[in-house]
Amino acid sequence: NAEGRHARDVEATMKANEWQKEHESYELKWAGERDAEEYKKQLARERRESLNLRNAEGRRIRDNEHEMKRNDMNKEHESYELKWAGERDAEEYKKQLALERRESLALRNAEGVRIRYLEAQMKANDFHNEHESYELKWAGERDADEYKKQLARERRESFELRNAEGRHARD
């Protein structure tokens, strides 16, 4: 009996060892499955993180491209604004030059009219002075002729008087 007990104890110990080994095997299997599941979760997490990083990087790149495109559009718009402002300034400058040219021409025309008027006045004054000079000359000549006639008349009268006196004295 002791032998039977010993055999049962050995058998129970072997069974217990077998169960223990089987249990350890299951434990290892389950640990492996848990590790595999954790590894899969880790890979999925890393994949999500990688996707998030790539999405964030893609978003950052798109945002940068959008910002650069917007800056380019703003620069282009500013360039057009400057071009249009320059064209407006050039047009205003041309208008200002045309106005100044017209004003200059008007001033030159007015100055020309004033000069021609002064020249005409001076010519009229010269003509008037020349005419007065001729009038004075002619009046002087007439006065000289009158004076000569008067002297001739006085001389004739003096001759007549002396003649008459001489006749009177002879008679």
Side-chain angles (χ1 to χ4, degrees), residues 155 157-168 170:
R155 196 178 224 188
E157 287 176 359
S158 169
F159 282 142
E160 285 175 8
L161 231 149
R162 281 187 291 171
N163 226 357
E165 278 180 6
R167 253 189 274 160
H168 196 15
R170 275 185 263 145

Side-chain angles (χ1 to χ4, degrees), residues 32 118 169:
L118 287 176

Side-chain angles (χ1 to χ4, degrees), residues 1-10:
N1 234 328
E3 217 177 271
R5 195 186 313 199
H6 180 31
R8 277 191 308 265
D9 282 344
V10 169

Side-chain angles (χ1 to χ4, degrees), residues 18-147:
E18 213 177 284
W19 283 344
Q20 173 112 13
K21 283 184 184 178
E22 193 176 322
H23 179 68
E24 285 176 7
S25 173
Y26 280 124
E27 285 290 328
L28 288 173
K29 177 184 168 197
W30 294 333
E33 288 175 355
R34 279 193 307 271
D35 287 347
E37 195 61 37
E38 276 301 313
Y39 180 70
K40 287 179 183 177
K41 287 181 182 178
Q42 177 66 26
L43 285 179
R45 186 171 39 255
E46 288 175 1
R47 191 176 301 117
R48 280 193 307 275
E49 288 175 0
S50 174
L51 282 173
N52 286 339
L53 286 173
R54 285 185 286 161
N55 282 342
E57 182 67 14
R59 188 177 313 114
R60 187 186 64 78
I61 289 172
R62 283 190 305 276
D63 289 347
N64 283 345
E65 288 174 349
H66 178 70
E67 184 70 21
M68 287 171 37
K69 190 173 184 179
R70 194 177 62 180
N71 287 341
D72 289 346
M73 288 174 65
N74 283 340
K75 285 179 184 176
E76 185 178 0
H77 178 72
E78 287 174 9
S79 174
Y80 279 122
E81 287 292 330
L82 290 173
K83 176 186 171 200
W84 296 330
E87 288 173 353
R88 283 191 303 271
D89 289 347
E91 199 59 37
E92 285 299 316
Y93 180 69
K94 286 178 183 176
K95 287 179 183 177
Q96 181 66 30
L97 284 180
L99 176 65
E100 289 174 4
R101 194 174 299 119
R102 284 192 305 272
E103 288 174 352
S104 172
L105 194 60
L107 286 174
R108 286 182 286 157
N109 283 342
E111 183 67 13
V113 166
R114 188 183 69 79
I115 288 172
R116 284 190 298 277
Y117 175 75
L118 287 176
E119 287 174 346
Q121 258 188 336
M122 288 170 53
K123 193 172 183 180
N125 284 342
D126 288 347
F127 181 74
H128 179 71
N129 289 340
E130 187 179 347
H131 179 71
E132 279 187 12
S133 173
Y134 279 124
E135 287 289 329
L136 290 174
K137 176 185 169 195
W138 295 332
E141 288 174 352
R142 281 192 303 269
D143 288 348
D145 286 345
E146 283 296 317
Y147 180 69

